[in-house]
Amino acid sequence: MRLLKVATCNLNQWAMDFDVNLTNIKESIAEAKDAGAVIRLGPELEITGYGCEDHFLELDTVNHAWECLRDLLVGDWTDGILCSFGMPVIKGSERYNCQVLCLNRKIVMIRPKMWLANDGNYRELRWFTAWKQKDQLVDFQLPCEIFEALGQKSVPFGYGYIQFLDTAVAAEVCEELFTPCPPHAELALNGVEVFMNASGSHHQLRKLDVRLRAFIGATHTRGGVYMYGNHQGCDGGRLYYDGCACVVVNGDLVAQGSQFSLKDVEVVVAQVDLEAVASLRGSISSFQEQASCKTTVASVMVPYKLCQSFNLKMCPSSPLKINYHCPEEEIAYGPGCWLWDYLRRSGASGFLLPLSGGADSSSVAAIVGCMCQLVVKEIANGDEQVKADAVRIGHYTDGQFPTDSREFAKRIFYTVFMGSENSSEATRSRAKVLADEIGSWHLDVPIDGVVSALLSLFQTVTGKRPQYKVDGGSNTENLALQNIQARIRMVLAFMLASLLPWVHDKRGFYLVLGSSNVDEGLRGYLTKYDCSSADINPIGSISKQDLRAFLRWAAIHLGYSSLADIEAAPPTAELEPIRSNYSQLDEVDMGMTYEELSIYGRLRKIFRCGPVSMFKNLCYRWGARLTPSEVAEKVKHFFKYYSINRHKMTVLTPSYHAESYSPEDNRFDLRQFLYNARWPYQFRKIDELVHELDGEKIHLEEPSEHETLGVTSHGGGGMGVAAAGSGNPNVGF
């Protein structure tokens, strides 16, 4: 037997904070050594942090990375353990995203990334160059300070692997695993048995299984030990890196770290028998044949042994059942951990949330409550860093610290119900009950006086006073009156967040939390600069349907039973007067259901459908219950209001990224914000198709779930034709 103990890790790094990052790296190495590991893998770009973005263009960032690497190498950190460190490296005129492989205070080789992530949230080609010379390793002259510290002048640089006396090890960096021809396939044929994948992979709902299937597939048919290391936490932006460091052997998961955690360092250790890898490869005839005519990959010879022979004290790790969180748990724990990182690193003393008693703001409140529960639980488990952060943020003294989540919430979480004459007693009561369950400091602030003062000012200036539509006013008046209420709430929220700590003799300030969801952003069903405008938004990339499922789950599993009543209530903005014959409802205002919005969003973003393609797809999907003409009206209605309101995405509050059809304008969904909202050419094409279909009297049967481009796996079909052109309280500027 060739027994090998390996360690990979989740690290909560912070972009550009080299002290924090270096401390976490050292702690992970110490834990790996204590466990007896001889290989330690960290996440991609772990020394600088993955999310440095344009800071990567600064020479300081690269220089500081080398300084940190020198610190690691002059000490005993790499003694007896192969360490892979992620950092940017400049070679000649090019900047590369590299894994620096070190052993016994020497750099063994530098492996630049060959295939860069450059879609979705990723822009690596903006900062790095892909390494293209696959046929050889080149000589890289080390910086003077490294030479002076180590006495090492140069190191092999490029695509290759390390050949030890008893095994071969190679790096495969993040995106390379997901390419059509991943490096591990060729490396396996060259005899590499251990693959180290340093990654910077963010959380997205229902995404983890895609990642794990890739690890399993990489070793299932060609054998091998696949190590995966990742960041975990908010490193300074919209993404939450969701850890899940793991080790896979011959297609079996043998070690798995947490996906969501408040820990800064989590080390995952596995013991593997490399003879199992050799045995599997020897049993596959096609592997043997392909290996006999392989393309040779360059290697670095290291006369050093990593493995141990048969030893009863070293038992190989057994296969594990993969641990997946349900989507409701992902919504609770992912944004909850993201909020904690943002809170403790921002210098703020807590959060303030305008709590309306509706589904969205209640979801945010529940996520903050979950965060408080996680903090108390982690402190009880002995995490001193979480304890220190909680004591500082909560202003505990005399050795006290949080032991109860409700008590902790009272110290760091304000909720405010900002009611008007249009607010119902039901929503006021729901907000109060939920705040009591969570433990927040709750305020009930009436805004009618402020609204009246503004209207009186307007009347003084213009001589006119607007009226609601139900009282005889025009659509313009109706819209303006609703937007006034919405924007007053935003101003009051920021004023309270700034001054309430002062009122209560606390230091610092409170972060204002937003609560608009991804579907409202897509449709533009929000007022520009209302309570959707905040410091951060934990649900801005989560769909209404997922949030409602989360509320049902949280009512039971988080212990906030009032969420069940909140989820059951019909969504309403409560910006218009309630009458016996009229009550404002979101789906009526929008002219479409939230279920339909999710379908439109997925077709637009994930399946890259313009108006004509969306019409064709929905004719198949909804053809059994809607005519082509009705489908056309729905598609036109969506694209009309999507384009009218796209400008709102340019000022969207920074939101936790969780959904693959997010319309977030900053980096994920890059599109214009000034459209011809009539879409004359596209809508004319749709009309021509409708005419053809009606003329031929084609009756389409609704297909099964597996025949609709995969879209139906995310939700059912739409309801009947909504009242297109219904009043929308949030259209316009």
Side-chain angles (χ1 to χ4, degrees):
M1 301 181 78
R2 288 181 292 140
L3 298 175
L4 180 71
K5 183 168 281 191
V6 299
T8 182
C9 54
N10 299 325
L11 296 186
N12 194 338
Q13 307 297 76
W14 192 2
M16 299 301 292
D17 193 325
F18 293 91
D19 287 335
V20 165
N21 298 346
L22 190 58
T23 297
N24 290 344
I25 291 169
K26 288 180 176 179
E27 183 178 336
S28 71
I29 297 172
E31 289 188 26
K33 283 187 170 184
D34 289 344
V38 293
I39 297 179
R40 175 267 178 199
L41 171 67
E44 183 178 11
L45 295 167
E46 62 182 314
I47 292 179
T48 58
Y50 184 84
C52 297
E53 300 184 328
D54 280 2
H55 285 296
F56 284 125
L57 304 178
E58 301 165 4
L59 290 178
D60 277 0
T61 304
V62 180
N63 292 336
H64 295 333
W66 279 112
E67 291 161 1
C68 291
L69 182 65
R70 179 184 61 191
D71 188 320
L72 291 165
L73 290 172
V74 296
D76 62 357
W77 298 103
T78 62
D79 288 358
I81 186 168
L82 175 68
C83 291
S84 180
F85 301 118
M87 60 178 278
V89 174
I90 294 177
K91 183 182 184 302
S93 302
E94 307 93 46
R95 183 185 300 100
Y96 294 100
N97 175 350
C98 295
Q99 288 303 119
V100 182
L101 284 73
C102 306
L103 174 68
N104 293 332
R105 310 191 190 199
K106 297 292 183 183
I107 302 175
V108 178
M109 71 173 290
I110 298 177
R111 164 65 156 86
K113 192 172 182 178
M114 298 187 296
W115 308 110
L116 301 176
N118 208 58
D119 54 11
N121 286 294
Y122 298 103
R123 297 288 180 274
E124 289 185 13
L125 278 171
R126 180 181 175 96
W127 311 299
F128 300 110
T129 299
W131 181 254
K132 302 175 181 66
Q133 300 179 38
K134 292 187 60 179
D135 57 340
Q136 62 178 333
L137 289 167
V138 299
D139 199 49
F140 175 77
Q141 197 77 20
L142 291 169
C144 292
E145 59 269 24
I146 299 296
F147 167 64
E148 292 171 359
L150 306 179
Q152 183 178 0
K153 290 185 177 181
S154 62
V155 63
F157 186 102
Y159 170 57
Y161 62 94
I162 304 175
Q163 181 65 62
F164 291 94
L165 295 176
D166 48 5
T167 188
V169 180
E172 182 171 69
V173 190
C174 196
E175 177 73 10
E176 294 175 348
L177 168 65
F178 302 98
T179 58
C181 299
H184 68 255
E186 184 177 52
L187 290 166
L189 296 175
N190 276 265
V192 173
E193 295 177 312
V194 181
F195 305 95
M196 301 184 295
N197 188 314
S199 184
S201 186
H202 68 274
H203 172 239
Q204 192 166 286
L205 289 172
R206 305 172 179 90
K207 173 188 172 185
L208 182 60
D209 67 311
V210 175
R211 195 187 305 162
L212 285 171
R213 283 202 305 268
F215 307 148
I216 292 169
T219 61
H220 179 71
T221 58
R222 58 181 66 91
V225 176
Y226 206 95
M227 302 170 60
Y228 172 78
N230 196 14
H231 295 269
Q232 187 172 62
C234 167
D235 79 340
R238 292 164 172 80
L239 304 182
Y240 178 82
Y241 299 93
D242 61 340
C244 203
C246 61
V247 180
V248 174
V249 180
N250 292 351
D252 290 323
L253 182 80
V254 298
Q256 180 182 2
S258 66
Q259 186 176 11
F260 309 107
S261 173
L262 302 186
K263 294 179 180 178
D264 283 341
V265 176
E266 181 182 3
V267 176
V268 178
V269 179
Q271 191 141 286
V272 300
D273 177 14
L274 295 182
E275 290 299 317
V277 175
S279 176
L280 176 62
R281 290 177 174 178
S283 69
I284 303 173
S285 176
S286 59
F287 184 93
Q288 298 287 303
E289 290 297 319
Q290 291 187 1
S292 69
C293 57
K294 63 184 177 293
T295 300
T296 301
V297 177
S299 63
V300 177
M301 300 297 296
V302 176
Y304 187 83
K305 283 189 175 183
L306 294 177
C307 302
Q308 295 189 33
S309 57
F310 176 71
N311 185 343
L312 288 178
K313 294 181 180 179
M314 295 181 65
C315 180
S317 302
S318 301
L320 302 174
K321 180 181 179 182
I322 299 174
N323 179 35
Y324 290 116
H325 289 285
C326 67
E328 294 79 13
E329 291 173 327
E330 293 185 75
I331 292 171
Y333 302 141
C337 293
W338 182 75
L339 284 177
W340 177 246
D341 277 342
Y342 203 102
L343 176 62
R344 70 191 180 108
R345 289 171 169 171
S346 67
S349 297
F351 297 119
L352 183 138
L353 171 68
L355 181 59
S356 69
D360 294 336
S361 61
S362 296
S363 295
V364 174
I367 289 169
V368 176
C370 178
M371 181 202 78
C372 293
Q373 293 181 17
L374 291 173
V375 168
V376 170
K377 181 179 179 181
E378 204 58 47
I379 292 173
N381 290 337
D383 193 310
E384 291 299 322
Q385 184 60 58
V386 174
K387 181 179 177 180
D389 288 332
V391 167
R392 173 179 54 83
I393 295 167
H395 303 295
Y396 288 90
T397 58
D398 301 325
Q400 294 181 323
F401 56 87
T403 57
D404 178 80
S405 64
R406 295 184 73 254
E407 186 275 334
F408 184 53
K410 182 72 73 175
R411 290 174 176 262
I412 61 109
F413 188 32
Y414 281 96
T415 51
V416 187
F417 181 83
M418 292 184 272
S420 72
E421 61 183 358
N422 302 322
S423 303
S424 67
E425 187 56 40
T427 53
R428 174 180 277 104
S429 174
R430 292 186 197 117
K432 177 66 168 62
V433 171
L434 178 59
D436 289 342
E437 289 177 341
I438 293 171
S440 66
W441 190 292
H442 188 66
L443 299 173
D444 191 327
V445 180
I447 66 170
D448 289 326
V450 184
V451 174
S452 179
L454 284 174
L455 291 177
S456 296
L457 174 63
F458 180 83
Q459 188 172 11
T460 300
V461 172
T462 66
K464 291 188 175 183
R465 192 177 185 92
Q467 300 292 322
Y468 287 103
K469 191 173 182 179
V470 294
D471 296 327
S474 65
N475 283 330
T476 299
E477 296 170 73
N478 197 59
L479 176 61
L481 287 171
Q482 294 175 75
N483 287 341
I484 288 170
Q485 298 168 67
R487 287 172 176 143
I488 283 171
R489 288 175 173 138
M490 184 271 288
V491 174
L492 283 175
F494 276 97
M495 184 183 75
L496 292 170
S498 299
L499 293 177
L500 281 178
W502 167 71
V503 169
H504 293 139
D505 295 321
K506 293 181 179 179
R507 299 184 302 275
F509 59 95
Y510 282 81
L511 293 165
V512 178
L513 297 179
S515 57
S516 59
N517 62 62
V518 70
D519 297 323
E520 290 171 349
L522 177 66
R523 166 61 170 74
Y525 187 68
L526 52 93
T527 300
K528 203 174 187 179
Y529 306 118
D530 69 346
C531 280
S532 65
S533 297
D535 289 309
I536 51 175
N537 180 358
I539 66 165
S541 184
I542 303 175
S543 74
K544 190 77 163 188
Q545 292 186 92
D546 281 337
L547 287 174
R548 296 188 71 168
F550 163 71
L551 290 174
R552 294 191 294 270
W553 176 89
I556 300 170
H557 294 88
L558 296 182
Y560 308 141
S561 58
S562 65
L563 293 175
D565 292 334
I566 292 170
E567 188 278 329
T572 173
E574 290 195 337
L575 293 171
E576 295 183 73
I578 300 172
R579 297 288 188 266
S580 59
N581 62 346
Y582 177 76
S583 181
Q584 185 180 22
L585 296 173
D586 288 354
E587 293 184 333
V588 174
D589 278 344
M590 292 190 298
M592 61 191 73
T593 67
Y594 282 107
E595 186 177 21
E596 289 171 335
L597 258 176
S598 288
I599 294 171
Y600 298 146
R602 288 183 169 89
L603 283 171
R604 182 196 71 99
K605 178 67 176 177
I606 301 174
F607 296 97
R608 299 164 292 279
C609 288
V612 176
S613 295
M614 186 179 293
F615 166 74
K616 292 177 180 178
N617 278 282
L618 290 178
C619 278
Y620 285 114
R621 183 183 175 91
W622 293 341
R625 68 187 97 173
L626 296 178
T627 66
S629 178
E630 290 171 328
V631 173
E633 287 305 309
K634 282 181 170 289
V635 171
K636 291 178 183 179
H637 187 67
F638 165 71
F639 273 100
K640 172 186 175 182
Y641 285 100
Y642 156 75
S643 54
I644 286 174
N645 290 300
R646 179 67 191 186
H647 65 92
K648 297 177 183 178
M649 297 302 95
T650 64
V651 295
L652 196 68
T653 295
S655 301
Y656 178 100
H657 179 86
E659 184 56 76
S660 55
Y661 71 90
S662 170
E664 186 263 305
D665 180 76
N666 181 269
R667 72 195 59 217
F668 184 71
D669 188 45
L670 305 181
R671 301 169 195 252
Q672 70 206 69
F673 55 87
L674 177 61
Y675 282 88
N676 183 343
R678 294 183 297 275
W679 297 83
Y681 187 90
Q682 293 91 333
F683 286 3
R684 189 166 64 249
K685 287 293 182 181
I686 291 176
D687 291 339
E688 292 171 2
L689 288 170
V690 170
H691 181 72
E692 291 176 12
L693 293 171
D694 285 343
E696 296 174 10
K697 296 182 179 180
I698 295 178
H699 299 283
L700 301 173
E701 293 184 0
E702 187 169 16
S704 68
E705 187 173 40
H706 302 291
E707 297 174 327
T708 55
L709 295 176
V711 178
T712 49
S713 62
H714 300 288
M719 299 173 67
V721 177
S726 302
N728 180 356
N730 298 302
V731 171
F733 297 84

